[in-house]
Amino acid sequence: MGTPSIPRRHFIATTLAGTAALASTSAQTSQPGKPLTVLHLTDAHIRPEHDAPKRCAAILQGILKRHPEIGLVINTGDSIYAADYNHITRERVLEQWKIWDDVVMAALKRLPVIHAIGNHDPWWAGPKDDEMHGIPYVCKRLGIETSHTTHRHGGWEMIAIDNHNGALGETQQNWLFDHLDSLPSTAPVLLASHLPIFSLAGDYDGGNMRNAKAVVDKLAARKAPVICLSGHIHIQSSESLWNINFHCNGALSGSWWEPGDAGDGSYKRTPAGYALLRLWPDGKSQSVYLPLPG
Ligand SMILES: [Fe+2]
Ligand SMILES: [Fe+2]
C-alpha cells in the first residue's frame, strides 16, 4: 500500500465520553477501574487478490504487537470481499472464507471475538436448500449460533445485531428491546452492527440503517452511556447524541485492498485502519481510529 495523505499514527478521531455527553477532559484523566481495550475491525473484505492475505496477516500481527493490551475484538462484518452478488460461485465463497480462517481468525486466535454480519458476507446465488445459502452459513463460518448475540465484557453489556439487509425488522427489534429492558438501567451498553444506526459518514455517502429512530430513542432512554459501533461506509465518523456515542470506523481494507481513487488505499479521505476503544467499568470510554502504518 502507498503513502496515505494523513500522517502515520495520526489519530483522526479521538473521543473520551462520559455519562452525560462527550467529556472535555483529556484521555489522561484518572478513571476508576481498569479499562478493557477493544480492537474494532470492520470491513476486512478479505480476498485473494492484491496480495490481501499476506498484507492482512502482517497488519494484524503489527496491531497485536503494538497493542498487547487488547482483550477483545469486535468485527462488524463484510468479513469477506463479497459473496452476495448473483455471479458468485460456491468455490469463490469457499475460497474467501478459507482466507478468513487462515489469515484473520488465525491471527486473532488468542482473543474473544464478537461478530456482526455484513451485507457482503452471505451467499444468495446458490440453491435455497444448499447448506451454504444465506445467513446460517455465515453464522457457521463465524462460529456464532445466531446472527444477533449478547455478551458481557469489562462491565459492559455488548450486543451484536444483524442489520446486513438495511434494517432490523420487527422480530429482531423486539428481541433487542426486550434484552435492553432486562438489563440494569445503569449498565453501559455497546451495540455492534454492520450498518451504522446513525453516522455522518452514512449521511454523506449513504448506508445508515433504515428506520433507526426507534432504536436511537430506546438507547437514549437509558441512564448509562451507550456506544454504537459500525462499519459498512468505509468512511470514519464519530458523533454523540445525548448518552450515545456513534463510531463508524472506516475499513480495514480501505478501498477493498485496491489503490482506490487516491492511489493510497484510502476511501474518500478515510485511510484503511482500525479503531481502539478503552472501556471503563463505570461507563466512560475512549475511541481512536488509527490509519494502518506503512
Ligand atoms: Fe464494506
Ligand atoms: Fe457493507
Side-chain angles (χ1 to χ4, degrees):
M1 190 176 291
T3 306
S5 56
I6 294 175
R8 305 297 184 193
R9 298 184 181 80
H10 180 72
F11 289 8
I12 68 168
T14 304
T15 59
L16 179 69
T19 48
L22 280 177
S24 57
T25 49
S26 76
Q28 283 73 43
T29 304
S30 71
Q31 309 287 339
K34 198 171 167 237
L36 169 67
T37 300
V38 178
L39 169 62
H40 178 207
L41 300 175
T42 194
D43 298 79
H45 285 285
I46 200 68
R47 61 191 294 191
E49 301 82 14
H50 303 285
D51 207 19
K54 200 170 157 193
R55 289 162 62 199
C56 189
I59 287 164
L60 293 174
Q61 192 181 33
I63 291 172
L64 297 176
K65 197 171 170 189
R66 274 193 300 285
H67 312 290
E69 71 277 22
I70 289 170
L72 173 70
V73 180
I74 298 178
N75 159 42
T76 49
D78 280 359
S79 300
I80 57 172
Y81 176 58
D84 57 316
Y85 298 115
N86 287 341
H87 67 280
I88 302 292
T89 63
R90 161 185 277 270
E91 290 68 33
R92 173 69 176 171
V93 178
L94 288 168
E95 179 184 38
Q96 294 174 79
W97 282 118
K98 183 174 186 328
I99 304 170
W100 173 259
D101 287 343
D102 292 349
V103 173
V104 181
M105 294 315 294
L108 304 177
K109 64 176 183 281
R110 73 172 178 85
L111 291 162
V113 185
I114 294 173
H115 297 282
I117 295 174
N119 53 301
H120 290 298
D121 294 326
W123 186 50
W124 305 111
K128 278 198 176 142
D129 59 355
D130 191 303
E131 57 133 1
M132 285 174 57
H133 185 92
I135 297 301
Y137 185 72
V138 180
C139 292
K140 186 178 170 187
R141 295 307 303 236
L142 294 175
I144 53 179
E145 282 191 15
T146 57
S147 65
H148 45 284
T149 55
T150 63
H151 314 262
R152 188 174 170 86
H153 293 276
W156 284 65
E157 298 290 341
M158 301 187 178
I159 308 167
I161 55 173
D162 173 11
N163 63 5
H164 79 275
N165 62 359
L168 267 193
E170 194 182 338
T171 305
Q172 196 184 165
Q173 183 168 300
N174 289 341
W175 169 85
L176 173 65
F177 286 14
D178 287 347
H179 182 64
L180 288 169
D181 287 342
S182 75
L183 302 175
S185 63
T186 52
V189 166
L190 186 150
L191 188 64
S193 61
H194 182 58
L195 272 67
I197 305 296
F198 174 75
S199 73
L200 286 180
D203 264 11
Y204 169 77
D205 222 25
N208 285 341
M209 188 176 93
R210 296 190 306 275
N211 305 324
K213 199 158 180 279
V215 176
V216 172
D217 284 339
K218 186 75 180 174
L219 298 172
R222 295 188 62 76
K223 291 195 173 72
V226 174
I227 291 176
C228 292
L229 289 184
S230 65
H232 183 58
I233 315 294
H234 292 222
I235 295 174
Q236 202 285 332
S237 75
S238 291
E239 299 80 31
S240 71
L241 190 59
W242 306 301
N243 59 325
I244 312 169
N245 284 281
F246 301 90
H247 302 290
C248 177
N249 279 325
L252 188 71
S253 65
S255 272
W256 297 264
W257 301 103
E258 297 169 19
D261 290 344
D264 59 8
S266 64
Y267 177 73
K268 296 190 179 177
R269 297 173 287 281
T270 290
Y274 61 98
L276 270 194
L277 288 93
R278 293 203 165 78
L279 307 179
W280 281 266
D282 68 353
K284 290 190 179 63
S285 66
Q286 181 189 34
S287 177
V288 295
Y289 184 71
L290 298 162
L292 299 180

